[in-house]
Amino acid sequence: MADDVRGEGSSTVLGREPELSRIREMVGRLARGRGGVVLLTGPPGVGLTTLLTETLVRVGEAVEDVRSVHVPSGLLEGEAAAAVTASVVAGEAFRDLGDVVVEALGELDGAVSPDDPRLVQVAVTALRRLSSSRPLLVTVDNLPVPDEAVFPALASLAAGLAGAPVLVVLTSHDLPRSSFEDSPVGPLWVRRVAPLGAADAVALVRQTVGRRVPHPVAATIARRCGGNPGDVVSVCAALEPDQLSALEPLPDVLPGTATTAATYRRWWDGLGEQERLLVLGAAAAVRPERATLEECSGAVLTDVLGPGGEPVLDEERGLVRSADARLLSAVRALTPARELRAALGSLASCYPEASLDRSWLALRAGEAVTPAVLDTLVRGAREYLDSGRTEVVEMLVGDAVHHPGPPVPPLELLVLGGVAAVYCGHPARAVTLLTTALAEAPDGLGRLFPLLLVATTYRENGLPHRLVASCLRRLDRPEEAAAVAALAARLCVEYGQREEARRYLAEAERLLPDDGGEPDPDLALARAMVDRSAPRSADPLGALGATRPGADLAGWLGEVQEVEQLVVTGRWAEARGAVADLLARVRRFPAPLVRAQLALAALGLHLAMGEYRRAEEIAAGAVEDLLPLHVPRGGSGLALLAQVALLRGRAGEAEDWLADLVELTQVRGAGPAVTAALHEALGLRALLEDDVDTAAEHYRRALREGPVQSATVLDAVRLRWRTGAGEEEAEALLEARGADGDPALRAALTLLRVPAGEVLRALTSLTDTAAGRPAHEAQLLELAADLVQDRTVRLELLRRSRDLYARAGAVARATAVDREAERVERTAAPADLGRLTQDERTIARLVHGGATNKEVAAALYVSVRTVELRLTSIYRKLGIGTRRELRGLPGLAAPDAPAARGPTAARW
């Protein structure tokens, strides 16, 4: 499957095309014998040295016989003579230049100001002399001059070098902002290099790690590093593989790096004791309330200024925050452990006794943990979990587990931490915590195993059957065993393991026989999922009034599965209401995994209904919120994101999601559901690129592996008609799917069964069945256009189809229909049969006579695949696109053609 996804282009410098474009322009000036000055400014780690190196490479490629000199920053720091002498490369001309520069600088009495005209004149004279025989490139990395007077000096230098083949490139971390920045033309270019954008920073994470890190993890690293490339690279190198794979959570504090030290250390070391305590409180407190932090530290929030002299902390709803994405994490990494523990202890004393804030800060400070503190932590973790703040629970339990002293975290805290880890999309951490809890309380198997089963299924990308079998043997109470079997059946359906699902359902029904009373809701849902039927209750979310605790992981999973089942069975109106109801509840319980599953259910609903703009909004919101979309159903939801991007005309984004899914399947394996989703998306991509044979093959695999959307079935049927592949299966496929009650599929079946002359009459009544779903009506019009022969009628049908696709927001489909209409218009001239080879003419004549692909293959003793490939070549050479067009061409009758064996009265 990996071969079907195209690799992304590699770039030496990610996200720096504006800078590289201007660098190319300045290098072009040098190649033409003209000079200039480039000044790149920005914070440490932003990539100034990388751009400087890139300039060296481009100059070497574009300018012949160029001479390069690197000037150290000591030139302007008082040791000018020694710096220049040390930098002069061996050679008579360089030594002469060094003598001239040293002599001139000596007359200036040591250190000079950057805008001293004598200094500029010395530089111009020296550089012109050195470039008299060969072009010259001069580089200065990290110019140590914070004085804004350097800008007019560089402008004078650029003017003096405008007519000489000299390019001077400088970088600086210290210069302030200036009106000289981004001058559009001329020999001077000053550029303040910004951090990377979100997409480029994510790409850098993946490039650094060497594989496709799950998007939520890569985006979180990028955000918490503020898009600083140097920080991103260093942090990725310091993280564990399981953290980068989302099996384990990222650390609360990102590792300290050389970039953070260069950016913040001088500022951090210069803060007073009170300001440091205030900032540490904002970085480490559970709820950094402004009033508490200011009272405890004795400092005022607005008085704490950052490295640039601006306030670094602000208040949002009474809590202290920082607009600098990296600052709070960086100061914790830069603070010595003893000082950090002391600060945390001081902050803890400012909170009331027995409060969660006090207990948690004392825990982080390494203080002794009493039973009362543990009770407070358990109570706080449960409250946070019930409110859906699962990230907080995960951090709290992590701090308790890693606390250096006794006692061992209590069982309840481990369970809460395991559940929170599942909700956060970290199944490996969840399995570790829940396994530990189960080892401490083996008699709690009935309560703990459903949690462990969900976590292990997500970690292994499939149901752990041996683990389920072991559990079922050990459970004594039939109702507990039946609940486990029903849950196993539901999870098997999610991963496309339908035979195993039936086996677990049968076991659940054996353990919990129907006694004529109210059916068990878990068992009823499992039965509906296995049978592909609607949930038994007319209102599957009828228990909305009850508050579901956060620890009821299987219950929350079941609520989303009920919504998904409404979508699968085509009860879209009910599903729309169910999504809205559950969304209202999830707003009060915003656990990331539940939100991800609900987003994917809603995405499937709107794709099924052809509401592509709404699907795009849901996809964008889920991605922006960094939801773990790669966790449910083995990551098959990524294929839905790819489909949305494809339909909306963003092929590059779709390639990224497909590449994510392919690598996920290579690492964790691919079950039937994931395989079906992947090939469904790949088939859509091929269809939109007019690669009919490839699209038909992908759709064939998708239909074989698992359930697909109705739109995919319509596409597959149309492709089978166009290629002649599997004609005899098309009606059976539509009949099977139409039994679910989908009106668009029933309409397509009717179109295929009516004679060609009756297609338009049938279409007039059938399109009403897809009213309100423009995308499905457009697909029916496309199918009808393939079934009729009149060119004018075909063009009208395609025009209507294109307009409906555009109305539905299917930009790429509308474009593909436009291409098809153009092809139909070009086929007005008679087909040139002389362009066909002898074998192709033979196949064309057999098909013209009504033979199917199988019959042609049998007559010519070749494979069906060979016939399909030859037909594709025939269509291309004759400028046609369907089997009916081929059968309508004159001049193909051949009395001496081989007779096809078997019946040839093919309806198509």
Side-chain angles (χ1 to χ4, degrees):
M1 290 184 292
D3 294 339
D4 292 322
V5 179
R6 296 138 195 181
E8 60 185 20
S10 61
S11 174
T12 305
V13 185
L14 285 169
R16 298 302 185 208
E17 185 51 40
E19 289 82 1
L20 295 177
S21 177
R22 191 59 187 273
I23 286 172
R24 284 193 293 269
E25 179 185 329
M26 300 301 286
V27 171
R29 287 178 59 91
L30 179 62
R32 296 190 300 271
R34 301 179 58 109
V37 176
V38 174
L39 173 61
L40 302 171
T41 69
V46 80
L48 302 184
T49 301
T50 302
L51 289 171
L52 190 68
T53 303
E54 191 69 16
T55 304
L56 286 167
V57 172
R58 292 175 185 269
V59 168
E61 293 173 346
V63 184
E64 293 184 2
D65 196 27
V66 68
R67 174 180 291 165
S68 178
V69 177
H70 181 71
V71 179
S73 57
L75 177 65
L76 299 175
E77 289 190 299
E79 295 294 333
V84 171
T85 302
S87 69
V88 173
V89 181
E92 192 66 31
F94 285 95
R95 284 196 292 270
D96 290 346
L97 174 65
D99 292 340
V100 171
V101 174
V102 171
E103 179 182 351
L105 290 174
E107 296 175 358
L108 297 181
D109 255 350
V112 294
S113 64
D115 58 346
D116 191 315
R118 297 173 298 168
L119 179 60
V120 175
Q121 186 58 46
V122 167
V124 170
T125 301
L127 295 174
R128 280 183 172 274
R129 177 174 174 179
L130 191 55
S131 64
S132 59
S133 60
R134 297 165 59 188
L136 175 65
L137 172 65
V138 180
T139 58
V140 181
D141 197 7
N142 194 16
L143 184 70
V145 183
D147 192 344
E148 62 182 8
V150 76
F151 294 109
L154 291 177
S156 299
L157 178 63
L161 298 176
V166 181
L167 178 60
V168 179
V169 185
L170 313 95
T171 67
S172 174
H173 300 309
D174 302 320
L175 284 171
R177 292 191 175 274
S178 166
S179 59
F180 285 85
E181 292 179 15
D182 294 328
S183 52
V185 294
L188 174 64
W189 180 50
V190 179
R191 174 72 169 181
R192 181 166 296 276
V193 180
L196 293 175
D200 290 320
V202 168
L204 180 60
V205 171
R206 290 169 166 173
Q207 179 177 285
T208 302
V209 176
R211 54 189 168 86
R212 298 192 69 83
V213 176
H215 181 270
V217 176
T220 299
I221 295 172
R223 286 185 185 181
R224 290 171 64 179
C225 290
N228 186 293
D231 211 16
V232 167
V233 171
S234 299
V235 166
C236 288
L239 293 174
E240 297 294 330
D242 280 354
Q243 293 172 327
L244 292 168
S245 300
L247 296 175
E248 294 281 348
L250 292 173
D252 182 30
V253 181
L254 290 182
T257 67
T259 298
T260 55
T263 305
Y264 301 105
R265 184 177 294 281
R266 184 183 303 176
W267 163 78
W268 182 236
D269 291 342
L271 284 182
E273 182 179 348
Q274 293 178 321
E275 287 79 8
R276 286 170 69 95
L277 183 56
L278 176 60
V279 176
L280 279 175
V286 180
R287 290 182 298 112
E289 298 172 338
R290 175 174 181 173
T292 303
L293 294 184
E294 289 186 339
E295 178 184 356
C296 181
S297 66
V300 179
L301 191 70
T302 55
D303 290 344
V304 181
L305 304 180
E310 72 287 346
V312 293
L313 301 175
D314 54 27
E315 178 185 356
E316 181 181 340
R317 298 180 182 178
L319 300 180
V320 179
R321 296 285 185 264
S322 174
D324 186 336
R326 186 68 160 108
L327 183 138
L328 296 182
S329 180
V331 298
R332 287 181 62 179
L334 290 171
T335 303
R338 171 181 286 183
E339 180 186 352
L340 180 60
R341 287 195 298 271
L344 292 173
S346 298
L347 289 170
S349 64
C350 297
Y351 288 90
E353 288 283 351
S355 67
L356 176 61
D357 300 82
R358 183 174 188 133
S359 299
W360 194 348
L361 285 169
L363 179 74
R364 287 186 167 181
E367 297 180 6
V369 178
T370 65
V373 168
L374 289 177
D375 289 343
T376 301
L377 295 177
V378 171
R379 185 173 61 253
R382 187 180 297 110
E383 291 174 358
Y384 273 124
L385 186 62
D386 287 341
S387 64
R389 297 185 62 184
T390 54
E391 300 93 337
V392 178
V393 179
E394 196 173 37
M395 285 192 296
L396 188 156
V397 175
D399 288 342
V401 169
H402 294 101
H403 186 268
V408 175
L411 171 68
E412 188 65 21
L413 198 59
L414 295 174
V415 173
L416 294 172
V419 174
V422 175
Y423 282 133
C424 290
H426 304 135
R429 168 63 63 89
V431 169
T432 299
L433 292 172
L434 293 171
T435 303
T436 303
L438 189 58
E440 292 186 11
D443 56 341
L445 183 64
R447 172 197 172 204
L448 297 180
F449 186 78
L451 306 176
L452 182 60
L453 176 58
V454 175
T456 307
T457 300
Y458 288 153
R459 185 190 67 176
E460 298 183 3
N461 203 23
L463 198 79
H465 298 290
R466 293 178 61 184
L467 190 63
V468 176
S470 174
C471 174
L472 292 177
R473 286 195 302 268
R474 293 170 58 188
L475 286 172
D476 297 327
R477 299 177 59 186
E479 59 272 18
E480 290 183 346
V484 169
L487 177 59
R490 287 156 47 192
L491 291 171
C492 282
V493 173
E494 282 201 352
Y495 285 82
Q497 301 170 340
R498 305 206 69 86
E499 290 303 318
E500 294 86 346
R502 291 188 182 91
R503 179 163 54 84
Y504 286 123
L505 176 62
E507 178 66 11
E509 291 174 334
R510 183 189 68 79
L511 291 166
L512 203 65
D514 187 0
D515 57 3
E518 186 69 22
D520 179 79
D522 293 335
L523 185 56
L525 176 58
R527 188 179 294 117
M529 293 179 67
V530 171
D531 296 340
R532 295 183 182 178
S533 61
R536 186 165 178 177
S537 170
D539 179 14
L541 301 177
L544 285 177
T547 301
R548 186 180 297 281
D552 187 6
L553 177 61
W556 280 108
L557 175 63
E559 293 207 28
V560 180
Q561 288 174 329
E562 287 178 338
V563 175
E564 293 171 337
Q565 199 60 23
L566 290 174
V567 177
V568 168
T569 55
R571 297 172 65 176
W572 295 333
E574 292 180 52
R576 191 190 295 274
V579 166
D581 291 340
L582 188 52
L583 181 61
R585 295 189 64 198
V586 169
R587 288 194 182 102
R588 299 190 297 272
F589 183 75
L593 183 67
V594 177
R595 293 176 60 203
Q597 290 177 308
L598 182 56
L600 293 175
L603 204 58
L605 170 64
H606 292 292
L607 280 173
M609 298 186 69
E611 298 172 347
Y612 302 126
R613 290 188 179 88
R614 180 57 183 147
E616 181 183 42
E617 293 173 1
I618 292 171
V623 172
E624 176 66 22
D625 291 343
L626 305 183
L627 300 182
L629 301 170
H630 61 286
V631 174
R633 296 178 179 265
S636 57
L638 301 183
L640 296 181
L641 297 178
Q643 286 191 55
V644 172
L646 285 168
L647 291 165
R648 296 293 289 153
R650 299 193 304 276
E653 179 184 329
E655 291 301 323
D656 284 340
W657 291 122
L658 289 172
D660 282 358
L661 181 53
V662 166
E663 180 154 323
L664 194 64
T665 60
Q666 290 173 341
V667 173
R668 297 165 55 186
V674 178
T675 302
L678 177 59
H679 283 284
E680 189 174 13
L682 292 172
L684 176 61
R685 183 188 71 183
L687 178 66
L688 296 175
E689 294 176 346
D690 300 327
D691 188 350
V692 174
D693 287 325
T694 301
E697 179 60 29
H698 281 306
Y699 280 153
R700 187 180 294 114
R701 287 199 62 181
L703 289 164
R704 185 171 65 244
E705 294 289 346
V708 298
Q709 301 169 39
S710 297
T712 300
V713 178
L714 288 173
D715 282 339
V717 168
R718 178 167 164 260
L719 289 174
R720 289 179 178 184
W721 155 253
R722 298 193 71 176
T723 63
E727 292 177 357
E728 64 280 359
E729 304 171 16
E731 288 190 15
L733 173 62
L734 282 172
E735 287 174 344
R737 297 287 300 189
D740 292 338
D742 190 305
L745 298 184
R746 289 199 304 270
L749 182 61
T750 301
L751 285 177
L752 292 176
R753 285 176 169 170
V754 300
E758 300 294 325
V759 169
L760 286 181
R761 183 179 301 174
L763 183 65
T764 302
S765 59
L766 290 175
T767 51
D768 292 338
T769 65
R773 289 186 281 157
H776 290 179
E777 185 178 349
Q779 286 184 282
L780 290 175
L781 290 169
E782 277 193 284
L783 177 60
D786 282 347
L787 296 175
V788 300
Q789 295 184 14
D790 186 276
R791 188 174 70 91
T792 302
V793 174
R794 293 189 66 196
L795 287 172
E796 174 60 20
L797 292 174
L798 290 173
R799 183 193 62 78
R800 289 169 55 192
S801 176
R802 177 203 60 206
D803 293 344
L804 287 169
Y805 278 136
R807 195 169 83 192
V811 177
R813 276 192 176 274
T815 302
V817 173
D818 275 335
R819 291 195 302 270
E820 174 67 8
E822 292 173 0
R823 188 193 59 75
V824 171
E825 288 180 331
R826 290 195 302 269
T827 60
D832 181 8
L833 302 179
R835 300 181 62 191
L836 303 182
T837 66
Q838 182 59 47
D839 288 345
E840 289 171 342
R841 280 197 296 271
T842 301
I843 292 175
R845 286 166 180 158
L846 288 171
V847 173
H848 181 273
T852 66
N853 287 4
K854 280 188 177 180
E855 291 164 354
V856 173
L860 301 180
Y861 300 98
V862 296
S863 68
V864 173
R865 181 61 177 164
T866 298
V867 175
E868 294 171 5
L869 293 174
R870 294 289 177 82
L871 277 174
T872 299
S873 176
I874 292 168
Y875 291 164
R876 184 175 62 253
K877 290 180 179 180
L878 298 182
I880 60 177
T882 69
R883 204 174 189 84
R884 177 158 288 179
E885 287 179 282
L886 179 61
R887 288 172 177 164
L889 293 177
L892 281 176
D896 57 339
R901 294 185 296 232
T904 60
R907 177 164 47 250
W908 296 348

